[in-house]
Structure formats: C-alpha cells, structure tokens
C-alpha cells in the first residue's frame, strides 16, 4: 500500500506527480507521508502591517485590497495590488495563476491575506499571498496550526501552496486510513509515554493542538534517532562479537612500577576513568576500537603509555603513531625517559630514520625484543613487521584515514587493540552520531594547578602596544608565537603578506638580541623542522608562522601567542592554536587581533574564545555556527541529514535514544523475538536506504 504511486491521489495527477518527484524526490505514499512540515503557522493570530518589520514567516492580515493592476509583459507579466489595514499598506504581487483573483477581489470588501512579507526596494510586499473573504474563512473548518511544507521555487510557482498541500495530504490519509504499522517497541512507547505511530503521523500533518503537535514531533524525532543508534550500536557490538582481540590477562610489574614509582604526579579522575575503560576493553576478548578525546594538555600521553604497558606486561609489543616527524620525536623523547627507567627497549621510526637504524628496528621488531615503537606513518609500511603487536595508539586522529588504520590490522591475524587519540573536541552528540560505532572515552578535566591562558581581544591599531608587551615578556625569558592566516597556502599575496610582516617584526626587535624563526606552508618539510627545532631549543625566541604549527607542538617556554586577523580563523583552529601556549609555569596569553569591523559570526567566535578555555564548549558553539557537516570536514550525505531531528537541539533525545537502543540490543541482539519483528523490518529497510556502513569505519 505504502509503495503506491502518488499519481492517483486527489490533487496530484500525472504532471504534478512528476514535479514532486523531480523537485523533492517524492514518489510513493510513504515518501509523501514522511514529507513532514518544517513549521506551522498559528492561524488564530492576525498581524497588523506596522508590526511586520521583524517577522520573517508566513503571517495573516485582514484589510482591504485596491488598485489591482496587471503590469509588465511577456514573462514579466504579473498582477499587483495594494493591501491596507488601519496601520499601513503594502504591495501584493502574483506572477502566475492569478486570473481568478481579478474577478474575485472587490473594493471595500474585507479580506484575509496570508503569506510571507519581504522587503523589496525598502518596501514591504507579499508575493503569492492567499486571499480569502471573511465568509470563506468562516465556512472552512481549517486547522489552527497550519503546516508549512518544504518546497521549492518551482513548486511554488506551479501552485503548490498551503491549500494544495493540505488537499494532497488529506487525500493521502483518506486513502491509507489510519493504520500504519507501529515501528517502535511497545515497551518503549509506554515507558517514554510516546504517541503511537498513527497519532504521531496524523498530528504532524494535521496538528489538532499545540500539545499534540509537540508530542508528535518528539515521537518522530525519537524514532529517527533510535533507528540511527540501533544501526550504529549494532555495528559496534557486532564488531566486538566478530573481531577477536588479544587478551591482556594481567596488570603486571611494568604498569605497576610506572604507575606507583615513576609518574611524578597523581592521575586526574578523568585519566583514571579512561584507563578503567581501556582496561575493560583489553581483557574482554574483543578488539578494542576506541576514540579518546581530550583537550590539549589534558594528559593523553600518560594514558597512552599506561595502555601500552598493559600490552607489554602481557608479552605484547606496542606502538604509538604521530602525524608528523616533529610530534613523533617529541613523543619519543618524552617516552624514552620512562621506557629507560623501566628497562624497556624503545625505538623511533620515521621517514628520516637511517637505513642502519632501520635494520636494527626490523630485526628487533621481528624477534620481539623491541617493546615500544614510536613513529610516523612510516610504521604503516609493509616491510614493518611486528612479532606480536598488542596495541596501536594513534595520536591526532584527524590526520589519518580509515584506510591507514586498517593497514595496521592486516599485519596480524588477530588485530591489535586500537586507541585513537584526538585533541579536537567533538561535541558529544556529534561524536555519538559520527563515531557511534566506536567506543568513546573522554578526558574532561585538566591536571590541577594549570594557569588558564588569558585570552584578549585587541584591534589592529593596538599592534605597537602588543609588540611592546611581547618584548616585555621575552625579556622575562619567555618565547612568543605570532601567527598569520593563510587561507590558501599557495596564495601568492598572502605569502607576500607574511614576509612583509616578518620584516616588520624583525625591524621592531632589531635593537634586542631576540632571534626570529619563520615557518610557513611553502617551505620544504626539512626546513620547517629545522626552524621548529630552533624555536623549541630556545635558539630563536619568536616564531612567525602560518597555521602549520597547529598540531601538537610542545614548547612549554612559549607563553604568548599573537594571532593576527583572528577573524579569519575558525573556532576550532583558534582553539588548537591557543593550545600551543599555557604549557609551562608562566602565565600565558593569547591575543586575538582583528579589524574593527567584524561580522556577527566572527564576533561570536572571538567572544567565545575570550569567554572560555573549554574545548568542548567551544566545539558546541562551533557546531551551532557551522553545522555538523562542516565540522567533520565532510558533508556526510545521508548520515547527517535528519528528516525531523536536529542534532543540536535534540541532543538529550539522542542520548535517550541511544540508551534505549542499547537496552534493546542487550536483550535481543538479532531482534529475533516476535515482538521485535517490526523493529527488525524497519531497521533493515533503513540500512538498505542509507547504506552507510561503508561511509564510516
Ligand atoms: P595532551 O593531552 O595534549 O597530549 P600531554 O599528555 O602532552 O597532553 O600532557 C600535557 C602535560 O601535562 C605533560 O607535561 C604531562 O606530563 C602533564 N600531565 C599529564 N597528566 C598530568 C596529571 N595528572 N597531573 C599533572 N600533570 C600532568
Ligand atoms: Mg598530545
């Protein structure tokens, strides 16, 4: 029944059916049924013309219509009229199908006019308003809440107005009757007091009152989120059932010694919680597939080290992969001290590792005497063979694709446990959606005693003062970053900007002994590394750079960051950049320098940065400003396109849906029980439709 063509519905017909398919992809009864209104108009409310300034929705007015004229010729031909009430007047205009109006509209009669006012040449007008006499309106028993359907320019021009939509939808409900199959388990309906499917569908199209409308919306949103989470969780759990993992039976001497005798501080509550989650995974018998999120400086490295020791204590090898050579070196230097204190064999493997050293690494990896391998993607190369890799940790997740991670798997019969660490906070709801098939751990607190970075907003004209301030801090022995935006690394102009600015800074500091490094995207990687290292070793005190310093560089002595044209950076970029300072004992500063004139959005970004250091809060704002597709760097087709739910506004409902989906799968993983027959059917249908198994891994 639901697969029938909409062609034969009253008000549709062959031509309109074709249009609906072309414009909105609506073919069947089912498509139409699921074509939900995106808003509703309160038809009990009448506006006055002088109230209209601020409204940007369909509204209704009452008043008189005069001066009906047909103007223009050919394709520009249209009908215009003046509408007025006690408070003012505006223009009405129709481009098509207006012959009947010429006859219908009489002077000195009161009409109800209904449409969306817009400003055109500083004058209010309404295009294609619907016009009714008071009598017509009284006779009609219409809905107080009138649905507005998603539509297109073309459909509107072809006469798809509210009246036509309502006619079509009424036809659909008459034709199908109210006997749609329930798609949610009855227990859930009862427990959450949700409307049943029929009531929900009816009220979403024909809301009987505002209360029922809200209930219908909640029910349908829940359903959408529930099925999404069912898919993701089923995949996650299936992975655990299917993919065996190494079992790290015991916590042994290396872990214990490191934990009790070597770490010079207590772990934070969040670090301990995450370690427990990892511990549970690596002894479960299933392969761990976990995303670890923690803001810059939250102490992910220690968690990584302890996780690797869990492997080593059980006679496995461990590896940590970083996205750049400099980061790999940084990790290596830090972890080497620990490894040596424990008597473990650790090596570094990157693109620039010498052949001789490589030989040693290969041999020791294969005979199992090498415990810990730190490196870059060089580790992914085919000739790198471990004897028994137990865990692979990947730092700064966004730099590696799924394919590269999969390469780690192919190295062993039983894949290593995978821990992917990222410092880019992803709002929880988004993470649950996008990475819903991974397990997620979050370090949501910083180690105690950190001095939060002070963030200030300054204008371009303040630059001399800012430079004086930087000079003062440098004299105290600190170092500074000065960052410029290069939207496109290849842009010749921006490059010139950078060099010009570099010269100016040199000029300003020329009386002092301070030395300057410059790093930008056009440099050879080797030269970049050399400059970075100079800065790291305090041979240079000022680092003039484009955003290439974004990822993970640790120079604790750098305590100032000046970001020029900060309005040109995105929020997450600003946050990442700021994370480069505040790593040492000194009070750190991040100065956001901008133009006077700022767009609303840029202002929000700057204000957010000065108001908080919390990466997750910043990510939430970013999500609101840019939408989920942009944040993930992909316009994830299908996955992020919800029919009715809103990933930002409906976050709490998403959590509930996930919880209930989880419970259901715990109870009946394959949905084999007769009472879950419908759920299984709807889930299969959805999987076929979205087919997004392939999209995420
Ligand atoms: P990130 O999460 O950005 O990778 P790191 O692991 O580099 O952070 O940790 C940042 C700094 O904080 C390091 O110097 C580390 O030794 C220190 N640190 C980590 N955990 C703690 C803790 N619980 N207490 C105090 N300092 C800590
Ligand atoms: Mg790190």
């Amino acid at each position: 029944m639901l697969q029938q063509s909409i062609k034969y519905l009253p008000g549709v017909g062959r031509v309109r059916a074709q249009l609906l398919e072309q414009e909105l992809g609506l073919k069947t009864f089912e498509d139409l049924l699921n074509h939900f209104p995106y808003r509703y108009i309160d038809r009990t409310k009448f506006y006055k013309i002088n109230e209209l300034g601020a409204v940007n929705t369909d509204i209704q007015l009452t008043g008189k219509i005069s001066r009906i004229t047909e103007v223009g010729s050919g394709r520009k031909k249209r009908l215009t009229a003046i509408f007025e009430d006690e408070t003012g007047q505006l223009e009405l205009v129709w481009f098509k199908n207006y012959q009947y109006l010429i006859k219908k509209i009489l002077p000195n009669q009161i009409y109800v006019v209904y449409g969306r006012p817009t400003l055109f040449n500083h004058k209010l007008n309404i295009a294609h308003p619907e016009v009714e006499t008071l009598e017509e309106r009284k006779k009609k028993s219409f809905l107080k809440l009138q649905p507005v359907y998603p539509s297109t320019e073309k459909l509107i021009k072809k006469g798809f107005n509210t009246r036509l939509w309502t006619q079509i939808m009424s036809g659909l409900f008459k034709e199908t009757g109210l006997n749609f199959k329930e798609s949610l388990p009855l227990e859930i309906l009862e427990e959450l007091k949700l409307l049943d499917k029929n009531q929900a569908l009816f009220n979403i199209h024909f809301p009987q009152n505002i209360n029922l409308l809200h209930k219908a919306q909640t029910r349908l949103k829940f359903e959408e989120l529930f099925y999404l989470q069912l898919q993701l969780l089923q995949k996650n759990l299936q992975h655990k059932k299917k993919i065996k993992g190494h079992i790290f039976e015991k916590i042994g001497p290396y872990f214990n010694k490191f934990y009790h005798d070597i770490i010079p501080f207590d772990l934070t509550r969040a670090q301990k919680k995450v370690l427990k989650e990892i511990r549970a995974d690596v002894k479960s018998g299933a392969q761990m597939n976990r995303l670890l999120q923690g803001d810059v400086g939250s102490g992910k490295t220690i968690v990584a080290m302890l996780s690797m020791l869990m492997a080593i204590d059980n006679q496995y090898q461990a590896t940590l992969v970083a996205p750049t050579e400099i980061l790999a070196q940084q990790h290596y230097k830090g972890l080497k001290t620990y490894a040596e204190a424990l008597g473990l064999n650790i090596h570094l493997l990157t693109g620039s590792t010498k052949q001789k050293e490589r030989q040693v690494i290969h041999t020791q990896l294969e005979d199992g005497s090498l415990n810990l391998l730190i490196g870059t993607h060089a580790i992914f190369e085919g000739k790198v063979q471990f004897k028994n890799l137990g865990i692979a940790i990947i730092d700064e997740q966004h730099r590696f694709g799924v394919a590269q991670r999969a390469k780690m798997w192919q190295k062993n019969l039983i894949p290593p446990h995978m821990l992917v660490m990222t410092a880019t906070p992803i709002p929880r709801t988004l993470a649950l959606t996008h990475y819903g098939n991974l397990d997620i751990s979050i370090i949501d607190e910083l180690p105690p005693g950190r001095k939060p970075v002070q963030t200030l907003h300054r204008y371009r004209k303040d630059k001399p003062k800012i430079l004086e301030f930087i000079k003062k801090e440098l004299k105290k022995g600190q170092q500074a970053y000065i960052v410029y935006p290069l939207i496109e690394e290849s842009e010749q102009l921006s490059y010139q900007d950078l060099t010009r600015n570099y010269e100016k800074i040199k000029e300003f500091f020329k009386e002092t002994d301070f030395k300057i490094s410059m790093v930008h995207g056009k440099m050879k990687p080797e030269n970049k590394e050399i400059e970075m290292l100079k800065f790291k070793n305090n041979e240079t005190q000022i680092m003039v750079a484009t955003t290439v310093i974004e990822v993970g560089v640790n120079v604790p002595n750098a305590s100032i960051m000046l970001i020029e044209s900060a309005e040109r950076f995105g929020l997450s970029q600003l946050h990442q950049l700021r994370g480069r300072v505040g790593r040492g004992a000194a009070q750190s500063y991040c100065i956001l320098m901008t133009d006077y004139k700022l767009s609303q959005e840029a202002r929000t970004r700057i204000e957010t940065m000065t108001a908080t250091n919390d990466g997750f809060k910043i990510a939430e704002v970013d999500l609101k400003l840019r939408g989920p597709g942009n944040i993930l760097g992909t316009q994830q087709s299908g996955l992020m396109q919800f029919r009715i739910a809103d990933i930002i506004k409906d976050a709490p409902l998403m959590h509930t849906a996930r919880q209930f989906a989880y419970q259901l799968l715990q109870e009946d993983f394959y949905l084999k029980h007769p009472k879950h027959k419908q759920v299984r059917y709807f889930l299969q249908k959805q999987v076929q439709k979205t087919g997004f198994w392939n999209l995420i891994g």
Side-chain angles (χ1 to χ4, degrees):
M1 176 74 166
L2 285 176
Q3 298 317 315
Q4 278 183 42
S5 163
I6 56 180
K7 199 156 47 179
Y8 303 109
L9 283 176
V12 185
R14 198 178 53 81
V15 175
R16 281 185 179 153
Q18 227 165 30
L19 264 174
L20 284 170
E21 182 174 351
Q22 260 170 29
E23 294 291 300
L24 297 169
L26 304 176
K27 276 193 283 197
T28 62
F29 281 12
E30 186 172 30
D31 295 339
L32 198 55
L33 198 61
N34 288 322
H35 188 62
F36 300 149
Y38 67 104
R39 26 187 214 97
Y40 300 82
I41 295 146
D42 183 355
R43 295 221 55 178
T44 58
K45 181 166 171 61
F46 286 92
Y47 281 80
K48 294 287 173 213
I49 288 175
N50 67 0
E51 293 177 303
L52 292 184
V55 292
N56 180 31
T57 64
D58 290 7
I59 48 92
Q60 56 186 359
L61 303 156
T62 53
K64 290 179 187 171
I65 299 175
S66 57
R67 277 187 267 161
I68 304 189
T69 350
E70 212 171 353
V71 295
S73 62
R75 296 188 58 195
K76 291 208 170 141
K77 212 151 102 174
R78 60 194 189 274
L79 187 72
T80 65
I82 298 297
F83 174 85
E84 62 177 302
D85 66 10
E86 321 85 82
T87 69
Q89 52 173 242
L90 50 71
E91 192 183 57
L92 308 178
V93 53
W94 295 266
F95 297 97
K96 274 257 159 75
N97 303 325
Y98 51 67
Q99 289 308 326
Y100 76 101
L101 284 167
I102 300 178
K103 282 180 232 129
K104 174 174 178 168
I105 298 175
L106 305 170
N108 292 319
Q109 172 127 290
I110 302 285
Y111 291 96
V112 178
V113 163
Y114 167 80
R116 175 183 298 222
T118 49
L119 270 179
F120 186 71
N121 284 341
H122 305 289
K123 281 194 284 192
L124 270 177
N125 89 12
I126 303 181
H128 284 278
E130 290 176 34
V131 176
E132 287 170 337
T133 62
L134 283 176
E135 285 69 40
E136 280 172 321
R137 191 182 150 87
K138 268 185 210 137
K139 266 191 250 152
K140 239 165 70 183
S141 65
F142 62 84
L143 290 164
K144 289 187 175 133
L145 288 161
Q146 194 163 66
V148 182
Y149 286 93
S151 192
T152 64
E153 277 301 308
K154 189 157 178 193
L155 287 175
I156 292 169
K157 277 209 180 120
K158 297 278 181 189
F160 277 81
N161 55 21
T162 308
R163 198 186 303 136
L164 179 56
W165 276 111
T166 306
Q167 187 196 351
I168 295 173
M169 288 297 178
S170 305
L172 175 69
F173 274 84
K174 273 198 197 105
E175 205 54 39
T176 49
L178 267 184
N179 53 8
F180 303 113
K181 286 191 187 123
E182 180 54 55
S183 47
L184 288 174
L186 293 180
E187 287 96 338
I188 295 183
L189 285 186
E190 272 165 30
E191 195 169 340
L192 292 174
K193 301 199 170 54
L194 296 173
L195 282 193
D196 68 35
K197 182 101 174 183
N198 283 313
Q199 287 226 48
L201 283 175
F202 183 69
N203 277 287
I204 205 78
H205 291 289
F206 301 97
Q208 300 302 296
N209 58 50
I210 192 86
N211 185 28
L212 277 168
L213 173 61
H214 287 323
K215 283 188 162 165
Q217 287 169 327
T218 305
R219 141 83 210 214
L220 294 167
K221 285 174 177 184
F222 179 85
E223 178 178 335
E224 188 166 36
L225 297 169
F226 178 76
Y227 276 95
L228 172 69
Q229 290 302 334
L230 262 188
Q231 287 183 78
L232 292 166
L233 281 168
Q234 211 176 37
K235 193 185 180 199
N236 176 314
L237 297 173
Q238 210 143 30
H239 179 97
K240 284 183 188 153
K241 275 194 179 27
K242 272 201 199 137
I243 312 234
K244 295 244 169 312
H246 300 297
I247 299 178
F248 301 167
E249 302 265 359
K250 58 173 195 289
I251 289 289
Y254 289 120
F255 185 100
N256 282 325
K257 178 152 194 246
F258 185 66
Y259 191 93
H260 296 294
D261 304 342
I262 296 181
I263 309 179
F265 40 73
D266 290 328
L267 294 191
T268 61
R269 176 199 52 79
Q271 284 170 318
K272 286 183 189 160
K273 179 195 68 186
V274 166
L275 274 168
K276 276 201 191 116
E277 289 163 353
I278 293 169
R279 175 69 195 126
D281 281 1
V282 296
K283 66 175 180 191
S284 72
Q287 187 223 17
M288 173 167 76
N289 207 4
R290 189 169 278 282
L291 180 72
L292 171 58
Q293 289 192 61
D295 218 334
V296 274
S298 62
K300 294 185 291 295
T301 315
I302 288 292
V303 171
M305 184 66 189
L306 283 161
S307 308
M308 294 195 287
L309 292 177
M310 289 181 199
I312 294 170
D313 268 327
N314 290 276
Q315 283 74 52
Y316 289 98
Q317 293 165 302
T319 188
L320 173 63
V321 189
T324 65
E325 176 125 10
I326 197 160
L327 284 174
Q329 273 172 20
Q330 204 169 277
H331 273 311
Y332 177 68
K333 249 171 102 182
L335 298 182
K336 195 172 160 203
T337 329
Y338 296 145
E340 279 168 357
L342 290 166
L344 291 173
N345 183 5
I346 185 170
H347 276 277
L348 174 69
L349 178 64
T350 69
S352 58
T353 304
K354 297 274 175 330
Q355 194 51 36
K356 225 164 134 195
E357 168 74 356
R358 260 173 208 268
Q359 272 315 321
V360 176
I361 292 174
H362 286 311
T363 313
Q364 295 190 356
L365 271 184
E366 283 165 37
D367 69 22
S369 61
L370 205 168
N371 308 106
L372 271 166
L373 184 63
I374 315 298
T376 58
H377 52 271
I379 292 179
F380 292 129
E381 282 165 21
K383 30 184 208 288
V384 181
Q385 294 292 336
F386 292 83
K387 182 171 183 224
N388 54 359
L389 180 61
I391 188 167
I393 299 185
I394 296 181
D395 199 11
E396 303 293 349
Q397 163 268 338
H398 53 285
R399 296 278 164 140
F400 294 108
V402 176
Q404 270 174 317
R405 273 187 272 150
K407 275 194 192 164
M408 300 293 310
W409 292 35
Q410 291 157 8
K411 291 189 187 291
N412 297 66
L413 240 47
I414 295 184
H417 295 297
M418 301 289 271
L419 182 67
V420 174
M421 306 197 294
T422 174
T424 314
I426 303 166
R428 184 135 179 91
T429 34
L430 195 54
L432 282 185
T433 313
H434 191 65
Y435 298 106
N437 60 327
L438 299 184
D439 292 302
I440 298 171
S441 288
I442 297 180
I443 305 186
D444 55 4
E445 77 185 310
L446 294 182
R450 291 271 167 83
K451 289 196 190 98
V453 179
Q454 271 190 40
T455 305
L456 310 160
H457 178 202
R458 292 289 180 271
Y459 294 106
R460 197 158 296 184
K461 66 162 176 51
D462 304 322
K463 186 151 177 195
K465 267 196 239 159
I466 300 171
L467 288 178
E468 282 301 332
F469 177 69
I470 292 179
K471 201 194 271 177
K472 214 176 81 203
E473 292 294 305
L474 293 187
K475 282 187 177 152
K476 289 188 203 159
Q478 303 303 130
Q479 287 165 276
Y481 293 102
I482 300 178
V483 182
Y484 295 91
L486 283 195
I487 303 301
E488 281 279 316
E489 293 285 11
S490 60
E491 257 178 56
Q492 195 57 33
L493 201 65
S494 312
Y495 176 66
Q496 281 168 2
D497 273 355
L498 183 69
T499 31
R500 208 168 36 237
N501 279 311
Y502 172 72
E503 292 303 327
K504 276 191 205 150
I505 288 171
K506 228 163 85 177
E507 180 65 24
F508 183 87
F509 286 101
K510 81 169 183 251
E511 307 283 288
T512 70
D513 291 335
F514 301 129
K515 300 214 169 50
I516 308 174
S517 279
M518 178 160 79
V519 170
H520 57 81
K522 280 197 152 184
M523 285 163 86
K524 287 212 185 90
E526 306 91 85
N527 296 341
K528 245 192 257 182
E529 301 259 327
I530 291 170
E531 289 303 316
M532 294 284 229
L533 276 175
K534 273 198 208 157
F535 185 66
K536 215 175 151 151
N537 298 331
N538 205 353
E539 290 160 31
T540 56
Q541 289 70 43
I542 301 166
M543 166 64 83
V544 175
T546 61
T547 52
V548 286
I549 56 160
E550 214 179 312
V551 179
V553 179
N554 190 24
V555 185
N557 193 47
S559 64
I560 304 187
M561 171 159 294
L562 166 61
I563 304 180
E564 295 217 15
S565 303
E567 69 270 31
R568 287 167 69 180
F569 290 95
L571 256 181
S572 67
Q573 250 181 332
L574 288 173
H575 180 63
Q576 287 288 319
L577 282 169
R578 179 169 60 182
R580 300 305 113 219
V581 292
R583 298 178 153 240
Q587 173 62 54
S588 291
Y589 302 91
C590 175
I591 302 162
L592 306 173
M593 201 171 90
T594 70
D595 244 349
Y596 250 128
K597 261 200 189 152
L598 288 179
S599 70
Q600 188 57 44
E601 206 189 299
R603 193 165 290 281
T604 307
R605 290 199 297 264
I606 302 290
E607 280 168 6
T608 306
M609 286 297 293
T610 53
T612 182
N613 284 310
D614 181 335
F616 284 95
K617 280 199 189 129
I618 290 169
E620 296 284 351
V621 176
D622 203 22
L623 178 61
K624 280 180 194 155
L625 289 179
R626 293 198 296 149
N630 285 317
I631 293 210
L632 294 169
T634 45
Q635 294 288 351
Q636 284 286 351
S637 54
L639 188 54
M640 288 299 162
Q641 279 165 11
F642 292 107
R643 182 182 296 141
I644 183 167
D646 175 320
I647 193 173
I648 299 162
K649 293 194 195 118
D650 299 321
L653 204 56
M654 170 88 87
H655 293 272
T656 315
R658 186 168 173 91
Q659 196 187 322
F660 277 84
Y662 189 78
Q663 268 171 29
L664 179 64
L665 291 176
Q666 286 293 317
E667 189 191 316
D668 180 10
F669 185 76
Y670 293 104
L671 304 170
K672 285 276 184 343
H673 193 283
K675 72 177 175 181
H676 296 145
K677 192 173 146 224
Q678 284 304 330
V679 179
R680 197 169 87 221
Y681 166 76
F682 278 103
L683 183 62
Q684 263 165 9
K685 228 167 64 166
Q686 177 155 334
V687 171
Q688 280 162 10
K689 200 152 77 201
T690 52
F692 71 67
W693 293 146
N694 325 330
L695 275 178
I696 48 181

